Amino acid sequence: MKAVTWQGRRKVSVESVPDPTLQDPTDVIVRITTSGLCGSDLHLYEVLGPFLDAGDVLGHEPMGIVEETGPEVRNLRPGQRVVVPFNVSCGRCAMCDQGLHSQCETTQVREYGTGAALFGYTKLYGHVPGGQAEYLRVPFGDTLPIPVPEGPPDDRFVYLSDVLPTAWQAVQYADIPPGGSVVVLGLGPIGDMATRIAAFRGAGRVIGIDLVPERLARVAARGVRTLDLVEEGEDLVDTVRELTGGRGPDAVIDAVGMEAHGAPLARGLHTMVSLVPAPLARRLMRRFGVDRLSAIHLAVELVRRGGTVSLSGVYGGAADPMPLLVMFDKQIQLRMGQANVHRWVDDLLPLLTDSDPLGVDEFATHRVPLAEAPEAYEMFQQKRDGAVKVLFTP
């Protein structure tokens, strides 16, 4: 089959790789019909190369048609349409029972002390082949895939794999009071969707901040107040306070993570680590890794005293300095973590109706063949051509 494979820093290619096969009696094989390109994939493209091998299959936002089922699968049948969550979770352990599917005890990667395995996401998270491919082996066939109705196009449901539950959890964790205010930092796929969900759930004031004109315009078109990080400059904090009663927003969602702009020292360290042998790079990153922290530091500065910072952007630094004095003094609540996809499916499926209140049908900015993945990665990483959400079709 054809699949998008990692080949080095800022280098992916579409290669022929072996078709997946059933390995356990509860596995299913899914023929992929649509797969998304995620902002988290850029961390592999740019930073996390030491935890990848050349040829690793990428992607963690797939959906498709069940082609084959293992002998112990009872809830799915060939021909059924499913979305595959990015967490590889069993659905039956103590963590899954609490709705913490990203901490699944069955698939935790104990070698690295990390949470549940993820599709297409490095040795740190299980080294599981991903879904930017023609076929995908999916374990836990009775509990992991999400069956979805026939009829509507894939765009209606594919975001259940990651974008929708991640943005929903970001808003849930932000704990915005009814009619309250929230700032969303970063208007890529997760930030954009978080503004939509926050408004849908009753936030009185939603403010989106970014520095890409096309992303600002896209979010503003849905009635969200937007601020250009570059244009506001040093006045940004004062502007946000003026818009939120003088005290700052009730909540800030950091949807940027380690992709933050600026921080030349951290960027330089990332580049240096990418040049050393992989075993040494892995040790350095696990003990001394530092992220670009401008977004999370801005979130702490913006949020009102007693407010909440909800962190959905991915960070990977083991030695990140944080302004704990300010955080403690302001009595900030901080919530974070990989989205627990299955926890939010019951909330989200009723919204994927013909009325489409979250605008999923037109959420994608680019739909491209899998063969054009290398160009799409480069375009998305450089934020060219208004790229916010790219979908691949095998």
Side-chain angles (χ1 to χ4, degrees):
M1 69 172 183
K2 297 294 185 182
V4 180
T5 64
W6 184 86
Q7 298 295 337
R9 184 168 181 259
R10 297 185 184 176
K11 184 178 181 182
V12 300
S13 64
V14 178
E15 305 289 342
S16 293
V17 302
D19 290 352
T21 59
L22 299 173
Q23 297 179 19
D24 295 305
T26 55
D27 288 349
V28 300
I29 303 298
V30 175
R31 175 175 58 82
I32 303 303
T33 54
T34 301
S35 187
L37 173 57
C38 179
S40 298
D41 291 323
L42 296 183
H43 308 327
L44 314 183
Y45 192 67
E46 182 76 24
V47 178
L48 295 175
F51 297 97
L52 290 156
D53 294 331
D56 283 352
V57 179
L58 304 179
H60 57 269
E61 297 185 349
M63 70 172 293
I65 307 299
V66 176
E67 286 283 300
E68 186 179 1
T69 63
E72 294 183 13
V73 175
R74 300 289 179 263
N75 297 336
L76 290 180
R77 64 186 185 280
Q80 200 161 358
R81 192 184 194 194
V82 296
V83 173
V84 182
F86 75 94
N87 319 116
V88 184
S89 57
C90 71
R92 295 193 172 100
C93 68
M95 290 292 100
C96 289
D97 284 345
Q98 296 178 55
L100 295 172
H101 299 85
S102 67
Q103 310 302 320
C104 174
E105 291 181 326
T106 305
T107 71
Q108 282 177 17
V109 186
R110 291 174 173 81
E111 177 184 359
Y112 289 103
T114 52
L118 309 177
F119 285 103
Y121 216 79
T122 82
K123 295 180 175 70
L124 287 171
Y125 287 97
H127 214 202
V128 182
Q132 290 172 4
E134 294 179 312
Y135 294 91
L136 178 69
R137 180 184 77 89
V138 181
F140 312 114
D142 277 337
T143 54
L144 181 56
I146 304 167
V148 295
E150 298 293 336
D154 280 8
D155 289 43
R156 183 70 58 87
F157 302 112
V158 68
Y159 305 116
L160 281 172
S161 60
D162 183 350
V163 173
L164 283 168
T166 297
W168 188 274
Q169 180 172 296
V171 174
Q172 179 77 18
Y173 281 11
D175 196 24
I176 309 160
S181 56
V182 60
V183 165
V184 179
L185 298 177
L187 301 177
I190 303 303
D192 184 329
M193 185 57 72
T195 66
R196 302 178 187 209
I197 291 171
F200 174 80
R201 293 182 56 170
R205 166 71 86 173
V206 182
I207 302 169
I209 299 176
D210 205 294
L211 45 65
V212 180
E214 294 88 349
R215 295 184 175 192
L216 290 162
R218 171 181 158 103
V219 170
R222 293 185 66 90
V224 172
R225 180 69 159 88
T226 58
L227 296 173
D228 188 316
L229 186 66
V230 175
E231 290 184 2
E232 292 292 330
E234 295 181 358
D235 296 329
L236 177 66
V237 174
D238 289 339
T239 301
V240 170
R241 286 180 180 157
E242 289 173 5
L243 293 170
T244 53
R247 63 171 64 96
D250 297 303
V252 177
I253 295 171
D254 174 1
V256 179
M258 69 172 78
E259 283 294 308
H261 286 255
L265 176 58
R267 181 185 289 272
L269 290 172
H270 291 170
T271 302
M272 289 173 58
V273 168
S274 72
L275 299 176
V276 303
L280 175 58
R282 287 195 290 268
R283 289 197 295 272
L284 289 172
M285 291 181 71
R286 293 188 67 205
R287 301 230 11 219
F288 306 111
V290 176
D291 290 313
R292 287 172 267 172
L293 297 172
S294 54
I296 184 64
H297 284 208
L298 178 59
V300 169
E301 186 177 8
L302 287 173
V303 72
R304 69 164 170 83
R305 292 181 178 274
T308 302
V309 172
S310 173
L311 180 55
S312 64
V314 175
Y315 287 94
D320 287 339
M322 291 294 294
L324 288 174
L325 185 153
V326 175
M327 296 167 70
F328 182 85
D329 179 67
K330 292 182 73 172
Q331 201 164 333
I332 289 171
Q333 310 295 313
L334 177 62
R335 298 197 69 183
M336 69 189 85
Q338 298 279 9
N340 305 295
V341 173
H342 265 285
R343 181 173 182 171
W344 312 116
V345 168
D346 289 345
D347 296 295
L348 289 163
L349 268 175
L351 304 181
L352 304 180
T353 63
D354 288 343
S355 62
D356 191 18
L358 301 178
V360 295
D361 281 348
E362 301 302 325
F363 190 70
T365 55
H366 295 74
R367 297 171 179 84
V368 301
L370 196 67
E372 297 177 13
E375 295 82 5
Y377 265 80
E378 182 178 350
M379 173 186 65
F380 188 42
Q381 196 267 342
Q382 295 179 5
K383 300 178 176 64
R384 289 191 280 106
D385 194 28
V388 175
K389 192 61 189 177
V390 178
L391 296 180
F392 296 125
T393 52

